[in-house]
Structure formats: structure tokens, C-alpha cells
Amino acid sequence: MSLPDVQSTAPDVRISLTRVGVKNVRKLVEVGRPGKTRPAIFISEFDVFVDLPSSLKGANLSRNFEVIDEVLQQATSGDVKGIEDVCGIVSRKLLDHHEYADRTEVFMKSFYMMNRETPVSKTSCQEVINVYAHAVAERTNGKPIVRKSVGAEVTGITACPCAQNIMKDHAMHVMEQLEIPEEKIDAFFNEIPMASHNQRGRGFLCVETDGDIIVPLEKIVTVLKESMSAKIYELLKRGDESYVVMAAHKNARFVEDCVREMAKRVVSTFVDLPGDTHITIRQTNEESIHQHDAYAERKATLAELREELSV
């Protein structure tokens, strides 16, 4: 005796729904890496949605889990090239499993562990990176269109240029009162950066493409790390700590500077990506001497950034 399919019946209130699906589906994702014996491992949560026409009471949600597990098996075997590819393939297959849907959407947020080495003592340590992927598949008259994005959020340190200039002006006044020769004052400032207040910066970069393009996650992380005043590390020896503090204060940056530096590095790093690639950049600096946070953002196509930066 077959059970009735209640989901395929007509609803009492006949309106279409933009998103129907499941959220917070936790999975261990393994993505094969060319030339590597071990896959990249991501501890992940998925949100998976389809649209639903007004003629159906509900969506068959069990199909979402079936598709995710099928694609994750492909990823482990090396048939999937990146986490955005995981989302792209899931979103495409969902259209086949939900024949009534015209649009599917997949979100993936993950923890990714990276091995690091400190700058002076060369001590090994680890860092957890927050990574994100997203894909949308839409039916057309021909082949479905799939658009994917991949991004990461990275922490670093920034030093405030404004406070640093105030401290430099004060130090110069004190040195002049002590009758220190001007050339020695200049030599001191060339060697030793002035104190400033610091922030823990959180940089975010997302790259959205279509087709079979895969954006290396490592390049995204590198752009973010190089765009703040200095990199930070979980474990620091004394020499490492001195290096990080000096590096940050020799490279003082406002929150706006970080976003503009990201944009410049995106253009120089992703030279092979098409102009219609969408770029989202943002920086949040958690202030140390204020109760608020500083924030800056830029959204643009790669073609727009290239045009601006070529001037």
C-alpha cells in the first residue's frame, strides 16, 4: 500500500514561495587537491533552498540531503575542484531532483584549518579561517545557468595613522627640548615607528563567477592578510612578537586603506578572471580606544576596479 504524497497536493493558500528548504545541515567536506595526497577538509554547514510554485503544498526536502551526500562523495574522490564547485554542483542537481523548481540556492560556511609559520622563530602553528561559498542555479530555455562565489574572512592587526602622527609630533617636541640634533631625530623616526592604538581587523573578500571557473582559496586568504597593517599568529615567541608589533606600526592603515589595498591586490592577483566577475570587499576594525567598530566596504565588478586603478 503506497502512502499518500501530501506535499504534492494543492495548498490552502495558493501563493508561490521564494525559498523552501533546510538550514544548518552539518557535514564534513573533503575536497581533493591536485598533487596532494590528502584532501582539504572543511567543517561545514549548508543552507539549501528551492523555490516552490503555488500549486504545491510542500517540497520534498529529503532530496536535498540525497544530493548533498552524492556531491560530497564526488568531492572526496577528486571530481570536484573547490568548495564553490560543491555548491554549484549541488544547486545544479537540485533542479533535476525538484522538477517543479525554477531556481535553487546553496549556501556553505566552513571552518578551514591552515598551517602557519611565525616570521622570526619559524615556529609552526595553526589558524582557523572562516570560508564561505554560495551558488544559484536557474532554469533557462537551454542549459541551466549556475553562478558561484567563494570567499573568506581573515583576522589581522591594524595601527591607526592619526594617533601615530599625534605621538610623533609629541616625541619630536620632547626631543627638540632635549636639544637633540635634527639629523638624529630624523634618523630615529626612520628606524623606530611611533606608538599608536591598534585594532583587530577582520577582512572579507568574496569573488563571484560563473561557468567552470575555480578561484584558489589560498589566493583570497593571501590578499586579505597582506592588506592589513600586519599578520597575526596564534603562537608568538619574543622575537616574533617584536616583529609583528614593529611591522604593524611601520604600516599604519585606516579601515579605508585596508579596503583600497584589497582592491589593488585583487586586480593584480586575479588577472585571468573575466571582467564581469563580481567582487565584494569589506573590513571591520574592532577599536581598542573606542566602543564602536570602524567599517568600510566596496562592491564592484573586476572590470570596474581595473578601470579605476588604471588611472
Side-chain angles (χ1 to χ4, degrees):
M1 178 179 176
S2 61
L3 297 175
D5 185 3
V6 179
Q7 292 161 323
S8 63
T9 62
D12 296 332
V13 180
R14 295 181 65 111
I15 64 167
S16 61
L17 301 178
T18 307
R19 283 179 179 165
V20 174
V22 292
K23 298 185 69 174
N24 300 323
V25 180
R26 293 177 173 84
K27 294 287 184 179
L28 183 68
V29 179
E30 299 178 78
V31 179
R33 297 179 292 177
K36 302 285 187 179
T37 57
R38 295 182 180 180
I41 297 176
F42 302 85
I43 301 172
S44 307
E45 286 187 359
F46 287 89
D47 296 341
V48 182
F49 306 108
V50 301
D51 64 340
L52 190 69
S54 60
S55 59
L56 293 180
K57 190 176 185 69
N60 190 333
L61 300 184
S62 64
R63 296 175 183 175
N64 297 354
F65 295 96
E66 294 168 0
V67 170
I68 292 174
D69 288 337
E70 178 186 344
V71 174
L72 292 187
Q73 184 59 45
Q74 288 181 260
T76 303
S77 63
D79 296 334
V80 176
K81 299 181 180 66
I83 57 172
E84 69 269 45
D85 212 17
V86 171
C87 293
I89 295 172
V90 169
S91 65
R92 173 64 185 85
K93 286 180 177 289
L94 285 172
L95 287 179
D96 296 332
H97 286 68
H98 296 276
E99 63 282 351
Y100 48 80
D102 290 322
R103 187 179 189 274
T104 64
E105 193 168 10
V106 179
F107 295 89
M108 174 183 174
K109 53 185 178 181
S110 309
F111 294 123
Y112 178 52
M113 189 72 74
M114 296 186 69
N115 292 318
R116 304 281 309 283
E117 188 178 78
T118 59
V120 177
S121 67
K122 305 302 180 184
T123 302
S124 295
C125 57
Q126 292 181 323
E127 179 178 1
V128 177
I129 303 293
N130 295 320
V131 298
Y132 306 88
H134 173 231
V136 174
E138 294 184 283
R139 295 191 195 275
T140 61
N141 294 330
K143 184 179 178 181
I145 296 175
V146 179
R147 193 155 183 93
K148 305 171 294 185
S149 63
V150 60
E153 183 181 75
V154 170
T155 56
I157 182 175
T158 57
C160 177
C162 183
Q164 191 174 58
N165 280 338
I166 293 172
M167 296 300 294
K168 181 178 180 180
D169 184 71
H170 174 71
M172 185 175 294
H173 179 68
V174 171
M175 288 180 178
E176 288 172 349
Q177 285 186 324
L178 293 173
E179 298 182 349
I180 297 175
E182 183 177 342
E183 63 273 11
K184 288 190 176 182
I185 294 176
D186 292 338
F188 175 83
F189 286 133
N190 287 334
E191 187 66 27
I192 305 296
M194 283 291 93
S196 182
H197 70 91
N198 303 120
Q199 305 88 18
R200 171 174 287 183
R202 291 186 286 112
F204 175 84
L205 167 60
C206 181
V207 181
E208 180 183 327
T209 61
D210 56 14
D212 297 326
I213 297 172
I214 298 297
V215 180
L217 187 59
E218 292 78 6
K219 289 187 176 182
I220 290 177
V221 172
T222 298
V223 166
L224 291 169
K225 286 185 174 295
E226 297 291 343
S227 298
M228 289 178 253
S229 293
K231 304 172 188 175
I232 61 174
Y233 304 82
E234 183 64 25
L235 175 64
L236 292 172
K237 302 292 187 181
R238 289 184 180 180
D240 300 312
E241 189 169 343
S242 173
Y243 179 93
V244 170
V245 172
M246 290 287 286
H249 286 80
K250 284 185 176 181
N251 190 31
R253 282 178 176 165
F254 290 124
V255 67
E256 300 93 336
D257 295 324
C258 296
V259 170
R260 289 177 171 130
E261 184 67 22
M262 286 182 214
K264 185 182 77 172
R265 290 181 180 274
V266 163
V267 169
S268 63
T269 299
F270 300 111
V271 292
D272 296 328
L273 291 183
D276 65 351
T277 300
H278 285 264
I279 304 295
T280 300
I281 306 166
R282 58 177 180 257
Q283 176 81 13
T284 303
N285 284 353
E286 299 172 357
E287 296 281 7
S288 59
I289 65 169
H290 306 292
Q291 292 186 340
H292 59 263
D293 296 337
Y295 181 83
E297 178 182 291
R298 177 63 196 270
K299 292 184 178 181
T301 65
L302 197 49
E304 291 169 338
L305 292 179
R306 286 167 177 163
E307 182 178 0
E308 283 191 60
L309 289 168
S310 66
V311 177

